[in-house]
Amino acid sequence: MNKIKVLWMNNGDESLLEYIELGKNYQIDITPCKCMTDCRHLLNDSCAKWNAVILNAKINDLPKEKPSVYKLNQAYNDVSKYDVPCFVVIPNEHINKASLLNSIPKGERYYNLKEEHKDLFDAIFIKVSNDPRNRVLEKYADVCRFCNHANLPN
């Protein structure tokens, strides 16, 4: 399997260097972005490039804006439009759990970054490995690269 490309919307709450290194053990290549505007821009540029998105529970639309858990629902819905699996992490304990649960779809879970990062990476690996879209993209990688270089739509 090719490396799993993951876009991580990290508002600067936490350094991701440790997790970027840990992700390599799971064949996960993590690209951080600082705000949802940047995340949407990267998804718009090449949605097919990304296998999954990780959202911090506190979201900010712009780099200098104060992050808030109340923006998580909109961010989650935005990512869902791209048909890319989305995972939510709590980088620290200063989050209202009731607000968090109201901001993600029922049945979806969130991961405490400090205690459950291995579970997070396992879940990403399993979800992406079992996604038929990713199997097709991997099987026909040459055709996909040609379409990207020829500026054909994804």
Side-chain angles (χ1 to χ4, degrees):
M1 172 180 240
N2 293 330
K3 282 216 176 230
I4 297 170
K5 301 283 192 181
V6 175
L7 186 58
W8 193 326
M9 205 307 294
N10 176 40
N11 54 31
D13 251 8
E14 181 108 15
S15 170
L16 295 183
L17 294 177
E18 174 187 358
Y19 302 107
I20 289 171
E21 288 303 311
L22 288 170
K24 291 177 182 177
N25 297 329
Y26 293 83
Q27 299 299 311
I28 296 174
D29 181 21
I30 297 171
T31 301
C33 61
K34 296 274 186 202
C35 65
M36 262 321 283
T37 301
D38 293 347
C39 187
R40 283 184 207 100
H41 183 54
L42 289 169
L43 285 167
N44 279 330
D45 279 351
S46 180
C47 176
K49 177 180 178 181
W50 306 105
N51 302 112
V53 174
I54 300 172
L55 297 174
N56 275 21
K58 288 186 175 180
I59 298 289
N60 56 325
D61 283 324
L62 301 169
K64 297 191 188 244
E65 189 176 70
K66 184 177 179 188
S68 169
V69 72
Y70 299 107
K71 296 179 182 178
L72 178 61
N73 184 271
Q74 182 61 48
Y76 196 99
N77 290 336
D78 288 351
V79 171
S80 296
K81 292 174 189 172
Y82 295 97
D83 197 27
V84 176
C86 188
F87 299 86
V88 176
V89 296
I90 301 175
N92 55 45
E93 295 300 316
H94 308 293
I95 299 236
N96 180 318
K97 300 281 195 285
S99 297
L100 177 63
L101 290 173
N102 287 332
S103 297
I104 59 176
K106 289 217 183 291
E108 291 294 325
R109 71 168 286 192
Y110 58 87
Y111 298 85
N112 180 307
L113 191 54
K114 297 268 191 262
E115 299 166 5
E116 300 176 308
H117 59 272
K118 290 177 183 168
D119 293 341
L120 170 67
F121 292 145
D122 282 337
I124 291 170
F125 185 84
I126 290 167
K127 182 95 172 186
V128 170
S129 298
N130 293 327
D131 185 350
R133 183 181 73 119
N134 290 320
R135 283 193 245 136
V136 168
L137 289 172
E138 189 170 315
K139 184 174 182 177
Y140 300 106
D142 292 337
V143 174
C144 294
R145 275 193 294 278
F146 170 77
C147 291
N148 282 339
H149 291 301
N151 290 325
L152 297 175
N154 291 337

